[in-house]
Amino acid sequence: MAFKLKSSAFDHGQPIPAKFTADGDDVSPPLEWSEPPPGTKSFLLIVEDPDAPAGTFHHWGVYNLKGNSLPEAAAGGTRAAAKNDFEETRYRGPSPPKGHGTHHYHFKLAALDVDTLHAPPSAKVADLRRFAKSHILGETELVGTYAR
């Protein structure tokens, strides 16, 4: 089997339920992953919208994740998080402009060969891949859609 990311809330390429968007409770969806590459010690998760009018918009970035899942509404607590493009360190769900069509939200999970990724407290989600680049053993992705 290959490294895989999935959610019980939506299937790859399918709509993200409103509960997990700015139009609902704006909580992160439950996520599970399996078959990480050998030598994996932690994970990095980035959620981004490449269909945003001004270019890729970063909704969430958490790192130093352990285990094989994140529960629903996991965005908070003591997880290491970078600033999203809302200038917050929490999950912010899909919120495309009304009438802008269907946006694709990429949940990108990277398996890392380090227990702790050292990113500065001021790190932005857009910078996380640069900090992790030399530590990435493998990547997987889950894409959900949303439109208003």
Side-chain angles (χ1 to χ4, degrees):
M1 287 185 74
F3 188 28
K4 185 174 182 176
L5 176 63
K6 66 180 183 173
S7 177
S8 59
F10 63 95
D11 291 328
H12 184 77
Q14 297 301 306
I16 296 171
K19 176 180 185 175
F20 306 106
T21 74
D23 297 324
D25 295 338
D26 209 11
V27 296
S28 60
L31 299 169
E32 294 179 26
W33 49 91
S34 59
E35 301 298 324
T40 298
K41 296 182 179 176
S42 68
F43 299 92
L44 159 68
L45 176 69
I46 293 173
V47 180
E48 58 189 20
D49 171 11
D51 302 317
T56 300
F57 195 90
H58 301 93
H59 285 261
W60 193 30
V62 287
Y63 54 100
N64 299 338
L65 300 172
K66 309 293 190 222
N68 64 353
S69 65
L70 280 174
E72 181 177 309
T78 59
R79 288 180 186 82
K83 284 187 179 178
N84 59 27
D85 289 344
F86 293 101
E87 293 294 321
E88 298 173 343
T89 56
R90 69 178 191 92
Y91 172 85
R92 290 288 299 268
S95 55
K98 289 183 176 155
H100 198 258
T102 300
H103 283 221
H104 298 80
Y105 295 86
H106 295 251
F107 290 72
K108 297 180 176 184
L109 185 71
L112 307 179
D113 66 359
V114 292
D115 284 314
T116 304
L117 180 64
H118 297 285
S122 61
K124 293 188 172 279
V125 174
D127 299 326
L128 287 179
R129 285 193 52 77
R130 181 170 46 90
F131 295 121
K133 186 177 181 179
S134 65
H135 300 290
I136 296 174
L137 297 173
E139 297 177 278
T140 185
E141 179 177 68
L142 172 66
V143 178
T145 63
Y146 193 70
R148 286 177 158 162

